[in-house]
Amino acid sequence: MWYAIIGTDNANSLEARKSARPAHLARLQQLQDEGRMLLAGPFPAIDAEDPGPAGFSGSLIVAEFASLAEAESWAAADPYVAAGVYRETSVKPFRKVLP
């Protein structure tokens, strides 16, 4: 089943995000390589493609996991969690309808 993982950033976490990004992207690439990634990306903190020093307010990942528990475990092990980028994560079942 698909699961939406929503990470909400701590304030002033842009530098930690930049440092942990390579490890974070490597995990996402693994899901992509396994054909389990629907989409992933950050929420800019301002209305701009590149928010610059304003940074990001969080991220959305929609990926396939065998269970909610597996998705929650995967989310808890994210490098952004370990680096203190995310102040919280939420995992919800997701049903793709369109396209």
Side-chain angles (χ1 to χ4, degrees):
M1 179 166 192
W2 294 110
Y3 292 89
I5 300 168
I6 302 109
T8 303
D9 285 17
N10 278 304
N12 304 310
S13 61
L14 183 58
E15 291 307 313
R17 180 181 268 272
K18 288 178 182 178
S19 293
R21 189 170 189 261
H24 172 76
L25 291 180
R27 292 181 84 230
L28 295 177
Q29 187 62 54
Q30 182 178 357
L31 289 177
Q32 178 71 28
D33 293 347
E34 295 169 356
R36 298 170 49 204
M37 173 68 64
L38 183 61
L39 63 90
F43 300 121
I46 59 173
D47 188 14
E49 181 74 20
D50 180 357
F56 300 91
S57 63
S59 305
L60 170 65
I61 300 162
V62 180
E64 188 175 31
F65 293 92
S67 67
L68 177 60
E70 184 182 313
E72 289 173 333
S73 177
W74 187 92
D78 193 287
Y80 281 176
V81 172
V85 175
Y86 293 155
R87 69 176 163 79
E88 69 177 332
T89 56
S90 167
V91 181
K92 300 177 181 188
F94 179 82
R95 195 177 84 178
K96 183 178 183 249
V97 175
L98 292 171

